[in-house]
Amino acid sequence: MWVWQLVLAVGFGIGSAVVPFMNAEAYVLALGATHALNPVVAAIGVSIGQTIGKVGMFLAVRYRPGYAARKTKKEPRPVNLDTRWGRFVQWNRDLTKRLLDAMSDSRWGAPVTLLSAFVGIPPLYGVALIGGASRMRTVVFTLSVLVGRSGRFILLALGVGLF
């Protein structure tokens, strides 16, 4: 009986990983509150599904067409820093470079991903996209997301299941 619950939860987890309005937390909380399914099995299934979906996004960014050809270091077009738009564009470029460097660094990539998967800050959707563009290893990303999501959803399921 728990096998179909797990399959259903994995399917919902994959969908909720790529479609932002499908809320995995609400799914786990609702199952824990109604006891319609085993909340821990559902939490594990949603965690596995979310991991599959986020790794899919990670790999889609990493292996997008033309990505390997663009790895050459060409200079971006200069911007006019006297205008508000030019300053915004430069700020965005600097921020993106810092985020990519942080996610590529072995000291920061896994902890940021783990924190994002467990707490939700920064949003895991964005971390998956930035992680795919960085030099972060796929195995590190996958394990960080799986551990963080499993902890989050199991705690939610057990917390609601007590009432």
Side-chain angles (χ1 to χ4, degrees), residues 58-138:
F58 178 90
L59 294 174
V61 170
R62 174 145 307 164
Y63 297 112
R64 67 188 180 269
Y67 180 67
R70 283 197 301 247
K71 290 236 177 178
T72 61
K73 296 279 185 178
K74 62 179 183 179
E75 289 295 320
R77 292 187 312 172
V79 293
N80 183 3
L81 294 178
D82 294 333
T83 65
R84 184 174 286 184
W85 179 253
R87 289 190 300 271
F88 173 75
V89 168
Q90 187 61 44
W91 172 81
N92 190 26
R93 286 179 184 171
D94 294 340
L95 179 65
T96 302
K97 183 177 179 336
R98 282 194 298 258
L99 288 172
L100 285 173
D101 289 343
M103 291 298 290
S104 297
D105 189 358
S106 60
R107 291 176 297 174
W108 292 104
V112 167
T113 306
L114 187 62
L115 180 73
S116 175
F118 187 74
V119 179
I121 298 172
L124 187 57
Y125 197 92
V127 169
L129 298 176
I130 291 172
S134 72
R135 294 183 309 270
M136 179 182 238
R137 294 184 332 171
T138 306

Side-chain angles (χ1 to χ4, degrees), residues 134-146:
S134 72
R135 294 183 309 270
M136 179 182 238
R137 294 184 332 171
T138 306
V139 173
V140 172
F141 179 80
T142 303
L143 291 176
S144 297
V145 172
L146 183 61

Side-chain angles (χ1 to χ4, degrees), residues 21-56:
F21 65 84
M22 291 178 66
N23 194 334
E25 288 83 359
Y27 178 79
V28 171
L29 288 173
L31 290 177
T34 62
H35 299 288
L37 302 176
N38 185 342
V40 176
V41 171
I44 292 170
V46 169
S47 302
I48 292 169
Q50 282 259 314
T51 303
I52 292 169
K54 297 301 181 189
V55 169

